[in-house]
Amino acid sequence: RRLAVAVRSADQATHDRETAERERRMREADLQMALAKVEEAEIDRDNREKQFVQERDGIANRAEAQIRSAQQRAEDAERAAEVARQGLARAAEVEKLAERAREAEIEAVRRAENAERELKVMVRKESPPVQFEHIAFNAEIGRAVLLSELEYVKTQWSKNNHAAPTAEFEDQQLASAILAELASIYTSHLC
């Protein structure tokens, strides 16, 4: 009996040893699986870190490029503003020069008009009064008066005849002589 108990105990011990061995192998396999998962997680984490670093570097590079571009645009805008300021300054100078030129032109026209008036006054004073046959002219006040009688051609006007006036002068030669004297006065004294 002891033998049977000893054999049973030995069998039980063997069985327990085998069960323990199986459990140990299972735990070892679980441990290896856990290690593999940890290793896989570390690889995944490393890959994510690399991807994060690449994305961060890409974002940083794009940001730096945008900053450089913005700085370049700001410098260009500053140069354009300086050119505009210079252009405005030149425009102001040109406007001042134009204003001076307008003032000089106005002054020159005023002087020319004064000189022309003085010349007319001198011509009137120096030239002897002209005697006309058909017109009396007062140079001081600029008035001309007809001395000769100038008549229009008469038309018939009755209840039955309503002819329109022709505005013809009776003496065409006299009218031409009067107009010639008026033209002479106008060109010599009034222009």
Side-chain angles (χ1 to χ4, degrees):
R1 221 176 200 214
R2 275 193 200 169
L3 186 60
V5 172
V7 169
R8 250 193 260 145
S9 279
D11 284 342
Q12 186 65 31
T14 304
H15 177 65
D16 287 344
R17 203 175 343 122
E18 287 174 358
T19 302
E21 183 67 27
R22 259 184 297 190
E23 283 180 11
R24 185 188 60 78
R25 275 190 239 139
M26 283 175 59
R27 280 190 209 128
E28 211 174 86
D30 286 344
L31 184 61
Q32 284 179 353
M33 282 177 57
L35 286 174
K37 285 183 181 178
V38 167
E39 193 174 307
E40 188 178 306
E42 286 179 355
I43 290 171
D44 190 36
R45 182 185 50 116
D46 289 344
N47 287 340
R48 280 194 213 139
E49 264 185 34
K50 288 178 186 175
Q51 185 179 3
F52 172 76
V53 168
Q54 288 174 346
E55 287 176 359
R56 184 193 64 201
D57 291 346
I59 290 170
N61 289 339
R62 284 192 299 273
E64 287 175 8
Q66 288 175 348
I67 289 170
R68 282 193 301 271
S69 175
Q71 288 172 340
Q72 183 64 38
R73 285 194 303 269
E75 290 172 2
D76 291 346
E78 186 62 35
R79 281 193 291 272
E82 182 60 32
V83 168
R85 280 192 290 274
Q86 291 172 355
L88 287 173
R90 283 190 212 124
E93 290 174 13
V94 167
E95 189 160 332
K96 286 178 185 176
L97 290 174
E99 183 62 31
R100 288 184 198 145
R102 281 191 291 271
E103 290 171 0
E105 181 181 1
I106 290 169
E107 184 61 29
V109 167
R110 197 175 300 132
R111 286 180 185 168
E113 288 172 351
N114 288 340
E116 189 175 333
R117 276 191 222 113
E118 289 175 9
L119 181 63
K120 284 181 183 178
V121 168
M122 287 182 357
V123 165
R124 284 183 195 156
K125 288 179 180 176
E126 291 175 2
S127 61
V130 178
Q131 296 296 323
F132 297 103
E133 183 180 344
H134 304 288
I135 294 176
F137 178 67
N138 185 340
E140 291 177 14
I141 62 172
R143 180 174 290 175
V145 177
L146 284 176
L147 298 176
S148 301
E149 188 73 29
L150 185 61
E151 293 187 16
Y152 291 104
V153 173
K154 295 183 181 172
T155 57
Q156 296 294 327
W157 184 263
S158 66
K159 286 185 175 184
N160 298 334
N161 185 8
H162 294 296
T166 61
E168 290 182 31
F169 294 109
E170 273 188 15
D171 188 354
Q172 293 288 330
Q173 289 177 342
L174 176 64
S176 294
I178 290 172
L179 288 175
E181 288 179 9
L182 278 174
S184 172
I185 290 170
Y186 182 79
T187 55
S188 64
H189 292 282
L190 299 177
C191 292

